[in-house]
Amino acid sequence: MASSSTAPLPSSGRRLNMDNINPHVKAAKYAVRGELAVKSEEYRAYLQGGSTDLPFSEVISANIGNPQQLDQKPITFFRQVLSLLENPVLLEKEDVLVEHLGYKEDAIERAKKLLKVVGSVGAYSASNGVPAIRQSIADFLERRDGFPAKQSDIYLSAGASSGVNTLLHIVCQNENTGILVPIPQYPLYTASLAVLNARCVEYHLDESKNWGTDLGIIKQSYEAAKAKGIDVRAIVIINPGNPTGASLSEEDVRSVIEFARQEKLVILADEVYQTNVFIGEFVSFKKILRTLEKEQPEAGFDKVELASLHSVSKGMVGECGHRGGYFELVNFDPDVQQEIYKFVSIMLCAPVIGQCLVDLMVNPPQPGQPSYPLYKKEYDTIYNGLKERATALHKAFEQMEGVECGTPQGSMYLFPTIKLSPKAAEAARQEGRTPDEFYCMRLLEATGVCVVPGSGFGQKEGSLHFRTTFLAPGTEWVGSIVKFHKEFMDKYR
């Protein structure tokens, strides 16, 4: 029998085809950049080419949390510092920077400080990140949580997604490893587990409680997976939620940590939306874990492994393209941490300019510093704009027949339920689509607004949803959704 190395080439003449590439990559799905996103970009190019025969004049990419594509302005202080890091020769003309280009002295001093520890943003850093930047993050975490943090436990990454990839590679031993993942969830997790050929153990969030975490449901999912012989090792928590926008209470966080202690589960806390909280306040898993260790020193909470992730892509920073993020490891075995270091070393290091942006995010201008007034104004404008648009979108959904949506709590998303008629479901079936995919495609074709069907995130059997961001400026596009929805419902009664 011929070996694979001497097997004849396929009839296409190419070595690779859809029958012989990695099946786990083919099995992965990533809806936020799926068919609807591709179609929306085709429409965008069509409009940019001067065409005027579409029923809309612009494409609204409400499918992905990409703030600056939707006209969120960069924070001036951050970009001023980055410009000096990229082109240090500008520092030879400080008078021009200050007197003619609007740079403040603290932006110049920050750039000099970063250049001193980085050397050049065009050079590799240590694989886990620039030590001084890791220390900045540790200082930020200590201020945020009231507990010490060590820079040796912090790993810079190319956005939080890269950190998730690293952690899942370490946690997943084989095809029998299970990871508890919230449903609905950001499809990074299911896609990554599919590529790793590991097991996604779904636990449903409680829509009736504004997508809260229900410990009873988590336990049911865990026990059912264990009964099948699955080695459940970790639980993913996204707080504030994506795609739901839910913000967990301190009680919810405590209950998840207690469950992880009982069942010896690693907690993967995706906290990239921690500044996007509209109701209540963000409570970190690190703070509650350390509090429990202090309150119950003999209970074993010091053995609960926690990896928490943050990013410059979201919040008021919105610098997705710079690919900056980090994760902190808490209570991990030192030998395991060495393996994590080895894994990140294979990719050499996170982008150094992204690392510098992380430093700016965790250590922004402070009251009394020259750049602070403009920074505060820009930050508040972005935050208030997000909150206002979330409220406007929520009010629009309240007007729409068969649509239900909880009050916006945080992150950048709403995840409304939609109820569609049997006639619409049949029309979807004839196109080979689920009803929510059908609805979202018709919405895009009629309005240029691109959202993501709930099936791309997971949803309870028989329920339909879609996820939309509220990043796009203005409210005209919200009105176009309301108009489309009425016409759609009338057509398919």
Side-chain angles (χ1 to χ4, degrees):
M1 183 175 178
S3 70
S4 59
S5 61
T6 59
L9 288 174
S11 58
S12 68
R14 297 184 178 91
R15 190 68 186 86
L16 297 179
N17 59 65
M18 289 300 289
D19 294 325
N20 69 11
I21 63 171
N22 187 331
H24 308 308
V25 174
K26 288 198 297 180
K29 293 179 174 59
Y30 193 69
V32 294
R33 289 184 181 263
E35 180 193 12
L36 281 147
V38 171
K39 186 84 169 174
S40 73
E41 289 307 316
E42 290 173 0
Y43 283 148
R44 193 190 307 278
Y46 193 64
L47 291 169
Q48 289 173 345
S51 298
T52 58
D53 55 346
L54 292 174
F56 47 86
S57 59
E58 66 174 332
V59 171
I60 301 292
S61 298
N63 60 303
I64 191 165
N66 193 9
Q68 292 187 21
Q69 184 192 45
L70 294 167
D71 293 337
Q72 179 171 309
K73 302 303 180 201
I75 299 286
T76 299
F77 177 80
F78 294 172
R79 285 298 183 90
Q80 286 182 341
V81 175
L82 295 188
S83 71
L84 300 176
L85 297 176
E86 290 281 14
N87 190 12
V89 72
L90 294 173
L91 291 168
E92 297 172 10
K93 303 288 184 182
E94 286 187 29
D95 55 335
V96 176
L97 294 173
V98 173
E99 294 170 19
H100 299 286
L101 297 177
Y103 283 62
K104 301 295 186 184
E105 293 82 356
D106 54 338
I108 294 170
E109 288 308 310
R110 181 67 69 85
K112 288 179 179 177
K113 181 179 177 183
L114 283 167
L115 284 169
K116 188 174 181 180
V117 299
V118 168
S120 168
V121 294
Y124 290 134
S125 74
S127 292
N128 54 347
V130 176
I133 294 177
R134 287 188 277 120
Q135 186 59 52
S136 274
I137 297 167
D139 294 342
F140 157 75
L141 293 169
E142 185 163 346
R143 291 193 303 272
R144 187 194 70 183
D145 297 331
F147 292 95
K150 295 190 296 184
Q151 59 116 328
S152 57
D153 292 331
I154 292 162
Y155 296 72
L156 275 298
S157 57
S161 299
S162 173
V164 168
N165 182 59
T166 294
L167 293 164
L168 289 179
H169 267 84
I170 297 299
V171 173
C172 295
Q173 182 180 18
N174 54 41
E175 67 277 3
N176 195 49
T177 299
I179 309 293
L180 282 156
V181 175
I183 298 297
Q185 53 90 41
Y186 178 49
L188 165 67
Y189 293 94
T190 46
S192 299
L193 290 170
V195 171
L196 287 164
N197 195 27
R199 308 291 287 273
C200 175
V201 180
E202 300 181 352
Y203 69 90
H204 284 270
L205 301 174
D206 189 344
E207 186 170 8
S208 69
K209 295 178 180 174
N210 220 348
W211 299 110
T213 298
D214 187 315
L215 190 60
I217 293 172
I218 294 174
K219 287 180 176 178
Q220 286 176 13
S221 298
Y222 173 76
E223 294 298 341
K226 268 182 63 178
K228 295 175 185 175
I230 297 171
D231 177 21
V232 184
R233 293 186 162 197
I235 181 169
V236 172
I237 301 287
I238 308 174
N239 180 42
N242 177 8
T244 65
S247 187
L248 296 187
S249 67
E250 180 175 334
E251 182 183 353
D252 283 340
V253 174
R254 278 179 172 262
S255 67
V256 170
I257 295 173
E258 172 61 31
F259 177 65
R261 180 189 69 84
Q262 290 171 2
E263 305 300 341
K264 292 185 166 50
L265 297 176
V266 178
I267 301 171
L268 304 179
D270 182 334
E271 298 176 331
V272 302
Y273 296 99
Q274 60 187 260
T275 57
N276 293 74
V277 177
F278 306 140
I279 296 175
E281 62 181 32
F282 168 74
V283 182
S284 76
F285 270 79
K286 164 85 174 291
K287 179 176 182 178
I288 302 304
L289 177 56
R290 291 297 195 219
T291 299
L292 286 166
E293 290 176 24
K294 190 175 179 181
E295 290 174 351
Q296 303 176 50
E298 305 301 322
F301 285 104
D302 59 338
K303 297 296 188 295
V304 175
E305 296 137 292
L306 165 68
S308 58
L309 302 110
H310 196 13
S311 166
V312 301
S313 297
K314 312 302 178 184
M316 301 333 116
V317 184
E319 293 279 7
C320 309
H322 274 111
R323 309 311 299 135
Y326 71 84
F327 58 90
E328 182 191 21
L329 301 179
V330 180
N331 296 335
F332 271 65
D333 183 300
D335 291 336
V336 172
Q337 283 201 216
Q338 283 298 313
E339 295 303 307
I340 293 172
Y341 184 90
K342 180 176 71 179
F343 186 89
V344 298
S345 298
I346 294 168
M347 299 306 292
L348 299 173
C349 69
V352 174
I353 197 73
Q355 294 186 42
C356 292
L357 194 47
V358 172
D359 183 274
L360 299 175
M361 175 182 72
V362 300
N363 191 15
Q366 297 300 307
Q369 295 177 345
S371 293
Y372 180 75
L374 179 59
Y375 168 79
K376 183 74 165 63
K377 179 183 176 183
E378 291 174 335
Y379 187 100
D380 290 349
T381 297
I382 294 168
Y383 177 87
N384 292 330
L386 287 171
K387 189 172 182 179
E388 286 165 11
R389 290 194 296 278
T391 302
L393 197 53
H394 180 251
K395 285 182 178 176
F397 290 153
E398 289 183 322
Q399 303 170 29
M400 290 161 55
E401 178 187 352
V403 176
E404 297 176 8
C405 185
T407 304
Q409 297 181 73
S411 77
M412 298 175 171
Y413 312 104
L414 292 176
F415 197 66
T417 295
I418 52 174
K419 296 189 173 98
L420 303 180
S421 68
K423 187 176 177 182
E426 175 57 25
R429 189 191 65 77
Q430 290 179 8
E431 283 193 12
R433 302 182 190 280
T434 62
D436 51 350
E437 289 170 344
F438 177 77
Y439 177 91
C440 293
M441 183 60 77
R442 295 291 88 82
L443 173 65
L444 174 62
E445 292 169 347
T447 66
V449 177
C450 183
V451 298
V452 188
S455 51
F457 302 93
Q459 53 194 350
K460 280 188 177 177
E461 188 82 27
S463 70
L464 300 171
H465 303 80
F466 66 85
R467 188 195 78 169
T468 178
T469 71
F470 38 81
L471 292 165
T475 56
E476 297 83 359
W477 64 281
V478 177
S480 71
I481 295 176
V482 175
K483 180 175 180 290
F484 159 80
H485 183 79
K486 183 179 186 309
E487 293 170 353
F488 180 95
M489 298 298 280
D490 288 342
K491 180 176 180 178
Y492 292 102
R493 290 200 186 281

